[in-house]
Amino acid sequence: MKLIWSPETASKAYIETVKSCEKFKESGVAELLSAMAAGWNAKLIVEAWSHDGPIATSVGLAIAARATGGRHVCVVPDERSRLEYAAAMRNAASSSAIPEIAVGEAETAMAGLVGVDFLVVDCKRRDFARVLRLAKVCHRGAVFACKNAWQRNVSGFRWQWALERGTRVVRSVFLPVGKGLDIAHIGSNSGTSTMGLKKGPSRWIKHVDQRSGEEHVFRK
């Protein structure tokens, strides 16, 4: 079964996230990622949250999961982070929007998450590269996103270096949204692209930051 891009679902998730995240200041990251996850009909959305990090992206991903009927799992390193994250989500959204929380180091927390098709990692986490490498990708392919990418403590970051050996990066793009958003489309295990990024003509997508008014245009 292919993951087919749905503009209508993406648009609905984007609008709902804009409304839900008006009080947060995350420069459009939450809205963009929510629309992407919803538009690609992601069924297993995983995020690696950083201690004391903004919660807007989590709200957006919860909205996307609700739109697709998918599963949203947040990976946190310890019990303190779990409590902090759960409290922040309760304050930010309804109880129905609180995702599953997987606690532990990357190796432990990612172990049971099989078939990831949308992964968001906060580069402020010291183990963000391990999370990327340990992700068990859906056989149809996946989208990986690194937020706060300008804060990576890795010189000359390359997707191929960060991922498990043999992982195929179909396409990647760096967007000047928030503190840097690095996105990669990971190829399916079958060797064919099923995420709507490789086949067919490319097209330009415009994203307008609702707070600053800045316009970002990138090719899909």
Side-chain angles (χ1 to χ4, degrees):
M1 178 181 176
K2 287 186 177 182
L3 291 180
I4 300 174
W5 176 259
S6 171
E8 182 179 356
T9 306
S11 178
K12 287 180 178 179
Y14 181 89
I15 292 171
E16 185 177 349
T17 304
V18 168
K19 293 177 179 178
S20 300
C21 296
E22 286 178 339
K23 61 182 178 181
F24 302 112
K25 296 180 180 180
E26 209 171 331
S27 303
V29 173
E31 294 91 336
L32 179 57
L33 292 176
S34 177
M36 290 176 65
W40 278 314
N41 193 33
K43 295 301 183 184
L44 179 52
I45 301 171
V46 177
E47 64 169 319
W49 187 72
S50 174
H51 167 68
D52 201 28
I55 208 69
T57 295
S58 295
V59 174
L61 294 178
I63 290 170
R66 189 162 62 245
T68 66
R71 181 183 173 200
H72 174 204
V73 183
C74 181
V75 174
V76 297
D78 50 40
E79 183 64 15
R80 175 190 175 192
S81 297
R82 185 191 72 78
L83 293 173
E84 180 184 341
Y85 178 81
M89 284 298 288
R90 279 194 295 270
N91 291 333
S94 64
S95 59
S96 61
I98 297 177
E100 299 174 45
I101 304 176
V103 182
E105 293 297 323
E107 290 79 4
T108 301
M110 297 295 291
L113 301 176
V114 180
V116 177
D117 47 20
F118 202 88
L119 173 66
V120 179
V121 176
D122 190 336
C123 290
K124 290 191 294 185
R125 283 182 60 128
R126 57 180 176 78
D127 62 348
F128 83 89
R130 294 212 313 275
V131 174
L132 292 172
R133 191 173 299 112
L134 292 165
K136 298 177 179 65
V137 177
C138 173
H139 68 278
R140 296 167 295 180
V143 171
F144 286 4
C146 289
K147 57 179 287 189
N148 293 316
W150 280 324
Q151 295 182 307
R152 281 187 297 224
N153 293 320
V154 180
S155 178
F157 175 87
R158 295 290 184 275
W159 280 104
Q160 288 82 355
W161 299 348
L163 303 176
E164 184 180 8
R165 184 182 297 275
T167 301
R168 188 170 60 92
V169 179
V170 177
R171 183 175 296 173
S172 63
V173 61
F174 189 96
L175 304 178
V177 181
K179 295 181 180 179
L181 190 60
D182 205 351
I183 302 172
H185 169 211
I186 308 303
S188 65
N189 294 338
S190 64
T192 59
S193 172
T194 58
M195 296 288 288
L197 284 176
K198 189 176 182 181
K199 294 182 179 179
S202 61
R203 56 196 179 95
W204 292 95
I205 293 177
K206 180 172 70 174
H207 171 259
V208 179
D209 189 314
Q210 297 296 314
R211 298 177 182 83
S212 68
E214 293 181 353
E215 182 177 297
H216 307 289
V217 181
F218 62 99
R219 180 172 290 179
K220 173 180 177 297

